[in-house]
């Protein structure tokens, strides 16, 4: 498969910006179509990964099977905010200045049809750790397994190579985390911070046990590309997970939230999601987004 947006598979960059945007109320369909066409030409799938939301597809009179809006989890014992958006853009660079210029070039292209809902500036911490100090994405699938987990395949032109992405911004309460003894922190994650080894005797509430991808039926593999974020005196993790459907994310979040068996993931002791949204990331064709499913060429 060579049709996917390659940035989805690549390691997280040193610097990134995640954008979510809403449609402008007065934007005409023809204007939206042209802006999406211009965005498709700008999206290289490498330094810019793009996802489309349900409200954008509705405005274009189109539908992608499997795409929907995030609506939380029925029976959840914790709050899971839903913040739908029309468009998702992941700007990826190795240098902060390049990211600034990329954003300057992108926003005027989007301005005729979209307005900014949220901009989150992110960065790589150490060798790829969450700001809590724990390694992130340890159990990510690799190579062929990553392709199978992250991308649609075996369907039709314009869908094969696409991906569904779940997005949540998590806010860490460091005062709570710092007050936890080291062994309690390890038990909350289910791994030792010092060497990233999984704890065999971790409690059932440990994050590793709540989200073990191979322990679901069917297995719930997805490709996480999350990054730490900070703004003023707040910080946390911008969680991003790509998969061939939303099912892996949903079954994991259902178990994390206590909706499945009443046991809430210990992560919620010190971090909480602030947003939640779903998008469809089209495949690539001839160096730009393949929008044939939307009737846009």
């Amino acid at each position: 498969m060579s049709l996917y947006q390659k940035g989805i598979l690549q390691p997280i960059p040193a610097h990134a910006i995640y954008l979510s945007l809403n449609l402008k109320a007065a934007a005409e369909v023809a204007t939206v179509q042209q802006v999406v066409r211009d965005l498709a030409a700008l999206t290289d799938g490498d330094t810019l990964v793009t996802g489309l939301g349900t409200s954008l597809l509705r405005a274009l009179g189109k539908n992608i099977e499997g795409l929907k809006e995030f609506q939380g989890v029925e029976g959840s014992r914790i709050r899971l905010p839903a913040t739908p958006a029309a468009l998702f853009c992941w700007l990826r660079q190795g240098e902060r200045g390049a990211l600034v210029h990329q954003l300057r070039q992108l926003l005027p292209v989007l301005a005729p049809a979209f307005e900014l809902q949220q901009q989150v500036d992110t960065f790589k911490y150490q060798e790829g750790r969450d700001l809590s100090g724990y390694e992130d994405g340890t159990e990510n699938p690799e190579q062929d397994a990553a392709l199978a987990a992250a991308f649609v395949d075996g369907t039709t032109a314009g869908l094969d190579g696409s991906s569904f992405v779940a997005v949540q911004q998590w806010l860490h309460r460091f005062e709570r985390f710092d007050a936890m003894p080291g062994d309690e922190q390890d038990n909350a994650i289910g791994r030792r911070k010092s060497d990233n080894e999984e704890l065999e005797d971790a409690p059932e509430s440990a994050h590793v046990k709540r989200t073990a991808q191979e322990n679901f039926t069917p297995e719930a593999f997805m490709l996480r590309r999350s990054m730490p974020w900070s703004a003023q005196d707040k910080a946390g993790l911008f969680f991003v997970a790509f998969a061939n459907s939303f099912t892996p994310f949903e079954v994991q979040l259902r178990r994390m939230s206590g909706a499945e068996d009443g046991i809430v993931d210990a992560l919620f002791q010190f971090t909480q999601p602030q947003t939640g949204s779903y998008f469809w990331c089209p495949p690539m064709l001839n160096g730009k987004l393949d929008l044939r499913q939307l009737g846009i060429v």
Side-chain angles (χ1 to χ4, degrees), residues 54-68:
T54 55
S55 60
L56 173 54
L57 268 65
R58 281 198 303 267
L60 297 172
K62 300 296 181 179
N63 177 64
I64 296 295
E65 184 177 357
L67 179 62
K68 55 187 175 181

Side-chain angles (χ1 to χ4, degrees), residues 177-293:
F177 182 75
D178 293 342
M180 298 167 63
D183 59 348
E184 187 177 338
Q185 294 177 358
D186 286 351
N187 279 327
I189 303 300
R191 292 183 181 276
R192 285 195 299 267
K193 186 187 299 186
S194 59
D195 58 9
N196 201 39
E197 285 297 314
E198 188 170 338
L199 302 177
E200 294 183 2
D201 58 348
E204 288 302 313
S205 61
H207 181 60
V208 166
K209 288 196 172 181
R210 295 280 87 193
T211 59
Q213 299 172 103
E214 68 279 3
N215 288 348
F216 293 87
T217 305
E219 294 178 336
F221 284 98
M222 56 189 183
L223 189 64
R224 288 165 291 165
R225 288 292 181 257
S226 309
M227 299 183 69
W229 66 273
S230 67
Q232 288 82 49
D233 62 340
K234 295 180 172 58
L237 185 72
F238 200 83
F239 175 87
V240 180
F242 296 90
N244 54 34
S245 77
F246 293 120
T247 300
F249 171 75
E250 290 176 344
V251 298
Q252 290 195 36
L253 189 59
R254 177 174 171 77
R255 185 173 290 176
M256 288 176 64
S257 68
E260 180 178 290
D261 57 9
I263 300 174
V264 175
D265 195 310
L267 279 185
F268 292 106
Q269 295 178 33
F270 62 87
T271 186
Q272 296 284 335
Q274 308 298 299
T275 67
S277 49
Y278 285 160
F279 304 93
W280 175 67
C281 300
M284 300 291 291
L285 181 67
N286 299 325
K288 64 179 183 179
L289 282 186
D290 182 354
L291 299 180
R292 286 177 290 176
Q293 289 290 320

Side-chain angles (χ1 to χ4, degrees), residues 8-224:
I8 295 172
L9 273 188
Q10 293 170 357
I12 61 170
H15 300 275
I17 291 176
Y18 294 96
L19 302 177
S20 57
L21 301 102
N22 295 321
L23 279 169
K24 289 185 173 178
E28 298 181 354
V29 173
T31 300
V32 175
Q33 289 176 327
Q34 185 57 54
V35 171
V36 171
R37 189 177 291 112
D38 293 341
L39 174 61
L42 276 180
T43 301
D44 59 5
D46 182 0
T47 62
L48 176 60
V49 172
T50 295
L52 314 180
T54 55
S55 60
L56 173 54
L57 268 65
R58 281 198 303 267
L60 297 172
K62 300 296 181 179
N63 177 64
I64 296 295
E65 184 177 357
L67 179 62
K68 55 187 175 181
E69 289 186 352
F70 177 71
Q71 296 181 334
V73 172
E74 185 177 356
S76 172
R77 297 197 171 195
I78 46 88
R79 180 174 174 268
L80 299 171
T83 53
L87 188 66
F88 167 75
C89 295
W90 181 20
L91 289 68
R92 313 171 69 259
Q93 296 287 345
E95 198 275 327
R96 177 67 184 171
L99 197 62
V100 170
H101 290 302
Q102 184 183 11
L103 182 65
R104 288 180 53 247
Q105 294 167 0
L106 177 62
L107 290 180
V109 173
L110 302 178
F114 296 94
E115 57 189 8
L116 188 64
Q117 180 196 75
Q118 185 184 41
Q119 174 182 333
V120 180
D121 290 37
T122 64
F123 51 91
K124 183 177 181 178
Y125 177 49
Q126 296 182 355
E127 71 274 25
R129 293 178 182 262
D130 174 67
L131 289 172
S132 63
Y134 290 89
E135 289 189 24
D136 185 58
T138 299
E139 297 295 333
N140 263 338
E142 298 179 354
Q143 300 178 351
D144 289 346
L147 287 170
F151 301 104
V152 175
D153 191 24
T155 56
T156 187
L159 284 179
D160 282 356
S162 67
S163 185
F164 295 93
V165 60
V167 177
Q168 290 179 310
Q169 184 183 18
W170 288 68
L171 174 65
H172 291 356
R173 308 291 187 182
F174 287 104
E175 69 281 3
R176 299 179 186 175
F177 182 75
D178 293 342
M180 298 167 63
D183 59 348
E184 187 177 338
Q185 294 177 358
D186 286 351
N187 279 327
I189 303 300
R191 292 183 181 276
R192 285 195 299 267
K193 186 187 299 186
S194 59
D195 58 9
N196 201 39
E197 285 297 314
E198 188 170 338
L199 302 177
E200 294 183 2
D201 58 348
E204 288 302 313
S205 61
H207 181 60
V208 166
K209 288 196 172 181
R210 295 280 87 193
T211 59
Q213 299 172 103
E214 68 279 3
N215 288 348
F216 293 87
T217 305
E219 294 178 336
F221 284 98
M222 56 189 183
L223 189 64
R224 288 165 291 165

